[in-house]
Structure formats: C-alpha cells, structure tokens
Amino acid sequence: TTAAWVRAGTSPGPFAHLLAKGASNCDGGSYALYTGSNGGLQFYVFDGTTFFSSPNAGPALWDGNWHFVAGTFDGATVRLYVDGAEVGTGTPAPTAIKYQLPGSNSLTIGSYQGSCLLPYTGDMDEVQLYGRALGAIEVHGLYNASR
C-alpha cells in the first residue's frame, strides 16, 4: 500500500509519477502512483512483462483541494482509493511485483527516475508505505484520522 495527501490546481499532465519504486528504462517502476495517459490518477504494479493499473480517478481530482489517495495490491487486485473511497472495483492482477528492475530499485517521491524523468508538479504530504495491502476499512480510517 502507498498513500499520500496530494493537491494540484490542474492536472499534472500525462504519466507524471507521484511515487515510484524502481525503474525499467522509461517504461515504469515495480509499482507507482501516477497520472496515467489522461492526467488523472492511477496505481499500477509491474511483473516485469505486464503493467496492471487500477481504475482511473480522472483529472477532476486535480481541483486545487487536498485529497487523500492510496494504492493497494493484495496479490490479486490493484485498487485505488480517493478520500477513503475506492475508485471503481479494482483491476484483477494475478501476478507478483517484480522488484529487481534493470534501471534502478530505488524509491522516488515526486518523480520517476528511469532513463526519462516524469515529475509530478503539485503538492504532496504525509507519504506512507505499508508492507501489505490495507483493506478498505483501514484506508478509510487513515483518511478520517488525518483530515
């Protein structure tokens, strides 16, 4: 699980990475919170061959207000939460995350640092990482506890 409070007045644009673990050239990381192709917000995991992305929160998220976002992966489903509520119903991802990538295995906050840089232009606070997938009740509890 990754989580953070984020804010931007307009979409940061396509493929901006708020947080990324590792780098495979300019393709992507082991997992990341990023803006996707339409400038919204998604969480993805990568198994070395395929990217599995959560449903997209859409660019309306970038309204100048603070939002609590969380991405989770439980080994079967990739999910995204915004302000404590799940976006869609998750994306099936029967896979394992590949952590040893050729470019880097570092965790970066505010950008992707592979053979290209895909920076996030906005505000971010209280970045959190967990070694397991938090459930919907736990994510909602984090949102309520920190707003």
Side-chain angles (χ1 to χ4, degrees), residues 21 29-31 46-49 96-102 105:
K21 171 64 174 160
S30 299
Y31 61 82
F46 179 54
D47 67 7
T49 303
I97 297 172
K98 181 174 175 85
Y99 285 103
Q100 299 304 315
L101 297 179
N105 292 303

Side-chain angles (χ1 to χ4, degrees), residues 8 29 48 52 63 71 82-83 87 96 122-123 125 138:
F52 297 89
D63 60 5
V82 175
D83 296 335
V87 175
D123 299 316
D125 196 16
E138 292 172 299

